[in-house]
Every structure is written in structure tokens, then in C-alpha cells.
């Protein structure tokens, strides 16, 4: 199954069909139906940086599929990293792994990457 098809299974009425959890520690991040699906291309740092990378540069990947959360208080459990270019990166509040998305300081909206979380009601 392609990544696109897998993401389509998670969307119901343009919202997340199930709860969203950390892929590493299963921490509960977002209740079902609280995130609105959106697509945009944003470069986000890799969750694990390559060993040979220079300290002043981050290895990134372009992510396209996100849950948009308009109020950061909607999250059940999320952490915020340092500010970089007007954004704070989102991490799991329990295990601090990430980034799983980003918080746009200018709009106060958060964007949780579908690729970096698990969708599960368990």
C-alpha cells in the first residue's frame, strides 16, 4: 500500500479518524477528529540526524501531509523545541522524540505530520 493510500485511510470528513499517538512510546497526542487534514510542502528536520552531518546544518526531509491544529491547547500531550526561522518543532512530551511536526509562530497553528505519528485508538 502506498503512503498516500495509507494516509487516506486515516481521514474522515477531512479530520483524523482515530487518536494520534507517538510512534516510539505510544503516548497519546491528539484525540480523534481534533486535527484538520491539510497538504503543504515543508522541510522538517529528520528524526535521526546523519552521523556525518555538520553541527551547523540539519538534514531535512520534505513532508506534505499534516493534521492542522489551530490551538496548541487541543493537544493531549506535546512538547515544543527551539525556535528556528519562525517555527517551533513539535516533539513527544513523554519521550521527547521528534520532530513530529511544527508550530508556526505567526499564525499560532500547529501541523502534525501524518508520516511521523501512529493512528490508533488502542
Amino acid at each position: 500500500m502506498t503512503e498516500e493510500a495509507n494516509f487516506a485511510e486515516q481521514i474522515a470528513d477531512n479530520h483524523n479518524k482515530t487518536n494520534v499517538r507517538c510512534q516510539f512510546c505510544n503516548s497519546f497526542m491528539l484525540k480523534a477528529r481534533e486535527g484538520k487534514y491539510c497538504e503543504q510542502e515543508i522541510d522538517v528536520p529528520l528524526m535521526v540526524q546523519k552521523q556525518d552531518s555538520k553541527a551547523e546544518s540539519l538534514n531535512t526531509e520534505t513532508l506534505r501531509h499534516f493534521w492542522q491544529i489551530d490551538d496548541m491547547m487541543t493537544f493531549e500531550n506535546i512538547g515544543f523545541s527551539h525556535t528556528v526561522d519562525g517555527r517551533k518543532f513539535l516533539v513527544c512530551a513523554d519521550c521527547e522524540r521528534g520532530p513530529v511536526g511544527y508550530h508556526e509562530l505567526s499564525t499560532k497553528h500547529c501541523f502534525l505530520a501524518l508520516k511521523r505519528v501512529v493512528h490508533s485508538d488502542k
Side-chain angles (χ1 to χ4, degrees):
M1 180 180 303
T2 67
E3 189 174 83
E4 300 265 338
N6 188 37
F7 293 154
E9 289 183 8
Q10 305 306 325
I11 303 167
D13 297 325
N14 211 38
H15 289 82
N16 54 310
K17 187 166 35 174
T18 60
N19 292 330
V20 177
R21 299 180 175 276
C22 175
Q23 64 178 299
F24 298 101
C25 72
N26 204 39
S27 179
F28 183 31
M29 294 177 161
L30 185 68
K31 288 181 184 174
R33 308 212 39 81
E34 295 288 333
K36 181 173 45 177
Y37 179 73
C38 71
E39 288 185 17
Q40 58 183 324
E41 289 195 0
I42 300 292
D43 289 333
V44 177
L46 293 173
M47 293 180 91
V48 176
Q49 292 294 308
K50 296 175 184 168
Q51 292 282 339
D52 60 348
S53 65
K54 294 181 173 63
E56 64 274 0
S57 67
L58 290 174
N59 294 299
T60 63
E61 75 174 316
T62 302
L63 298 177
R64 191 169 152 225
H65 307 277
F66 294 91
W67 297 123
Q68 179 180 328
I69 297 90
D70 293 339
D71 180 355
M72 72 173 93
M73 299 307 288
T74 302
F75 284 106
E76 297 299 312
N77 200 7
I78 202 77
F80 295 84
S81 76
H82 309 294
T83 301
V84 179
D85 297 329
R87 294 186 180 120
K88 286 186 178 281
F89 292 104
L90 304 178
V91 297
C92 174
D94 286 340
C95 70
E96 298 182 353
R97 300 283 295 267
V100 294
Y102 69 95
H103 172 73
E104 190 73 52
L105 295 175
S106 63
T107 64
K108 305 282 190 230
H109 295 162
C110 295
F111 298 89
L112 196 58
L114 275 70
K115 182 177 183 177
R116 297 202 176 170
V117 294
V118 173
H119 299 85
S120 172
D121 287 330
K122 296 178 184 175

